[in-house]
Amino acid sequence: MELPFAESWKIKMIEPIRKSTRQEREQWLKEAHYNVFQLRAEQVYIDLLTDSGTGAMSDRQWSAMMLGDESYAGATSFYKFEAVVKQLFGMKYVIPTHQGRAAENVLFSSLVKEGDVIPGNAHFDTTKGHIESRKAKAIDVTTDKAKDTQLEYPFKGNVSLEKLEKVLTENKGKVPFMVLTITNNTVGGQPVSMENIKDTVNLCHKYNVPVVMDSARFAENAYFIKTREEGYKDKSIKEITKMMYEGVDAMTMSAKKDGVVNMGGFIATNNKEWFEGAKLFCIPFEGYVTYGGMNGRDLNALAEGLMENSEYDMLHTRIHQVQYLASLLDEYKIPYQRPAGGHAIFVDADKVLTHVPKEEFPAQTLTCELYLEAGIRACEIGYMLADRDPVTRENRFGGLDLLRMAIPRRVYTDNHMKVVAAALKNVYDKRESITRGVAIEWEAPLMRHFTVQLKRL
Ligand code: F0G
């Protein structure tokens, strides 16, 4: 008999979690203005808000922390971390930052100016925020294949080379770089193929435009290349990673995802001028260039996390769990962005809450319903997150309206996934009776979804 799948680790420490009653949740959600970011974590039973900074560190990471060197400048922890980044990504210059958006802030402060245009395959919201707040424009060049959630295509995170070339030809001299995000979070944790990475880099370089890789989930992207793309099945994740970065000019990294640390990030580049430029902003914003907003012990944990999470078994365990949740949704016929992405399942709220008009934010409404049903906190990656157009101030209803259930790394078991799927099924079964959504009572001018206050209609 073939042995079944099992996790490539065992559990050494646990944290109790608590269920609540529907009555309690109704009260809490009202107090949170129907925005799950405003809930207290202890009001949540299973927390799928994000896979960012929520992973469980390994015994090796915790023990590496004890060897942290907290010297202000030139700590051993920095050199250990720098060596790992150089080894994995083949980049020459490395600057630590306290998280991904800090890396964006530091690098973009030196590179982005008013009137610039920055194409990307669905910029993450902080990335877009750092572009738009500098009065530059972020243009999405993701393949249209990502728009059809029911289409089975292995690399829905890909760049449309036609869209990219159009932006490059129409904006000559105004494009300081292109952002290539792997995996493409916004369209569903969907990977970018090696072929598409190479084509994108070559096309950009043809126009003398450098490429910055937004690398938060680089290891999951490498896993999908290994398992889905012809010619990579015998290569290790580390070999594939190295290949993905060949020719890439720089990377910004939120280490809170595939670095499996609770806080951390970095910039790495092969461009000496960019390195010198970024250093100038690192010092005032983040700190001296060998710690850049991080503790020495955290740099040690990150070095270890990057090495162990770029091993096949670790990634297989993780993606297997995401795919397990997807298989339960298949059983219940609940529509999500297919095939399952790397870090999350993105439920197609437009296809679930068909009676809720887009002006009433279906995915945001589904987020509320799932929380009320079982204390599960997911998040909206849809019309609320899309914000308003910076010029017209109109809501941007052009993209997908998704409920993201992000799965923290090494935290929940498959039994938790069963609870999540059952709760979602219960909501799905009563979808016909949900006819009204939410309305905005207050919103911030930028990145409104974190703090928006809503009322239930
Ligand atoms: N880039 C991508 C692709 C991301 O997904 C994130 C964060 C960032 C950059 C910013 O990094 O949070 O360390 O400052 N994504 C989280 C999420 C917050 O929930 O998807 P950060």
Side-chain angles (χ1 to χ4, degrees):
M1 179 177 175
E2 200 188 330
L3 297 182
F5 166 84
E7 289 76 11
S8 66
W9 35 257
K10 58 181 179 174
I11 297 165
K12 196 172 326 212
M13 191 186 283
I14 57 98
E15 174 185 341
I17 50 177
R18 180 183 164 267
K19 288 189 193 173
S20 51
T21 64
R22 181 153 186 130
Q23 203 183 2
E24 284 176 316
R25 292 193 291 276
E26 282 185 354
Q27 179 63 27
W28 292 334
L29 192 59
K30 193 166 163 218
E31 286 164 8
H33 302 279
Y34 299 92
N35 177 354
V36 294
F37 280 100
Q38 306 291 319
L39 289 169
R40 289 171 182 241
E42 61 195 356
Q43 296 166 338
V44 174
Y45 173 42
I46 299 174
D47 205 346
L48 307 185
L49 185 67
T50 178
D51 63 320
S52 180
T54 53
M57 291 209 297
S58 68
D59 54 356
R60 285 174 289 173
Q61 285 179 287
W62 280 108
S63 62
M65 288 184 78
M66 297 304 288
L67 300 175
D69 176 355
E70 306 302 342
S71 304
Y72 191 94
T76 58
S77 299
F78 170 74
Y79 290 107
K80 197 187 282 186
F81 152 77
E82 186 194 39
V84 167
V85 174
K86 287 181 173 179
Q87 180 194 332
L88 280 176
F89 305 102
M91 296 277 177
K92 285 196 204 123
Y93 309 108
V94 185
I95 300 177
T97 60
H98 80 274
Q99 62 183 93
R101 67 200 67 189
E104 292 162 359
N105 185 33
V106 167
L107 187 64
F108 294 7
S109 287
S110 114
L111 297 182
V112 180
K113 53 183 199 312
E114 186 171 344
D116 281 350
V117 170
I118 295 154
N121 53 335
H123 314 70
F124 183 67
D125 59 337
T126 61
T127 321
K128 193 189 275 169
H130 277 300
I131 292 169
E132 291 179 348
S133 65
R134 290 176 172 81
K135 300 200 164 61
K137 205 167 156 194
I139 301 183
D140 182 17
V141 294
T142 308
T143 170
D144 284 335
K145 290 196 172 81
K147 286 187 184 160
D148 176 0
T149 58
Q150 301 312 292
L151 176 77
E152 291 280 351
Y153 182 72
F155 293 103
K156 276 182 164 173
N158 278 359
V159 169
S160 156
L161 299 169
E162 296 80 64
K163 287 188 199 176
L164 174 59
E165 186 146 32
K166 188 163 180 285
V167 176
L168 296 175
T169 47
E170 286 174 1
N171 297 282
K172 280 204 179 117
K174 286 201 293 190
V175 187
F177 55 86
M178 183 261 175
V179 181
L180 182 56
T181 304
I182 56 166
T183 58
N184 185 329
N185 181 4
T186 312
V187 303
Q190 297 291 321
V192 181
S193 72
M194 186 73 85
E195 187 186 13
N196 191 252
I197 292 174
K198 298 293 161 208
D199 289 346
T200 299
V201 171
N202 289 338
L203 182 60
C204 285
H205 286 177
K206 195 175 108 185
Y207 287 85
N208 287 319
V209 169
V211 176
V212 176
M213 201 89 114
D214 180 344
S215 306
R217 300 178 182 87
F218 75 94
E220 290 169 6
N221 202 85
Y223 174 89
F224 285 121
I225 288 174
K226 181 177 169 77
T227 54
R228 292 182 184 173
E229 193 166 348
E230 178 95 28
Y232 296 95
K233 75 174 185 332
D234 297 324
K235 299 226 179 303
S236 71
I237 298 292
K238 287 186 170 62
E239 284 168 335
I240 293 171
T241 299
K242 203 56 172 292
M243 292 170 80
M244 293 192 309
Y245 284 84
E246 270 163 21
V248 169
D249 302 272
M251 63 189 288
T252 53
M253 174 78 183
S254 168
K256 301 166 71 171
K257 286 84 168 171
D258 275 347
V260 208
V261 288
N262 303 114
M263 196 57 72
F266 60 89
I267 299 165
T269 180
N270 283 318
N271 184 325
K272 180 102 199 319
E273 247 175 68
W274 281 16
F275 176 57
E276 294 302 334
K279 278 198 306 197
L280 295 178
F281 291 95
C282 180
I283 295 171
F285 286 143
E286 293 291 294
Y288 183 62
V289 293
T290 59
Y291 72 87
M294 288 181 74
N295 297 309
R297 54 182 174 271
D298 292 338
L299 286 168
N300 272 17
L302 174 53
E304 179 60 38
L306 287 169
M307 287 307 279
E308 70 183 34
N309 197 43
S310 51
E311 286 297 318
Y312 176 80
D313 285 350
M314 199 56 83
L315 290 158
H316 183 57
T317 297
R318 162 154 185 74
I319 308 273
H320 188 278
Q321 183 169 56
V322 179
Q323 289 174 346
Y324 174 66
L325 176 57
S327 73
L328 296 175
L329 300 199
D330 286 341
E331 205 177 298
Y332 306 147
K333 305 207 165 20
I334 300 172
Y336 60 89
Q337 174 69 294
R338 311 183 66 86
H343 65 297
I345 297 293
F346 288 61
V347 177
D348 191 342
D350 257 350
K351 288 194 165 59
V352 176
L353 297 185
T354 50
H355 301 315
V356 177
K358 64 179 187 312
E359 293 75 15
E360 296 180 13
F361 301 98
Q364 183 69 32
T365 308
L366 192 57
T367 308
C368 294
E369 290 294 333
L370 183 63
Y371 174 72
L372 291 175
E373 178 64 28
I376 295 160
R377 176 159 69 169
C379 88
E380 195 253 25
I381 301 267
Y383 303 144
M384 193 64 72
L385 180 101
D387 257 316
R388 290 174 189 274
D389 183 285
V391 180
T392 66
R393 302 307 298 158
E394 290 297 316
N395 279 308
R396 291 191 270 211
F397 288 125
L400 293 169
D401 196 36
L402 305 165
L403 165 92
R404 183 184 77 169
M405 303 189 294
I407 306 187
R409 291 167 186 75
R410 317 190 284 210
V411 170
Y412 292 112
T413 68
D414 286 359
N415 284 325
H416 293 109
M417 297 304 116
K418 282 188 204 161
V419 175
V420 170
L424 196 61
K425 180 184 189 304
N426 290 345
V427 175
Y428 188 64
D429 286 347
K430 63 173 187 207
R431 65 191 180 282
E432 295 296 330
S433 67
I434 303 168
T435 55
R436 298 302 306 269
V438 293
I440 296 175
E441 288 199 309
W442 179 86
E443 68 182 286
L446 199 66
M447 289 190 217
R448 64 180 179 186
H449 66 289
F450 291 118
T451 51
V452 71
Q453 296 184 359
L454 303 165
K455 67 172 179 217
R456 195 68 206 260
L457 297 168

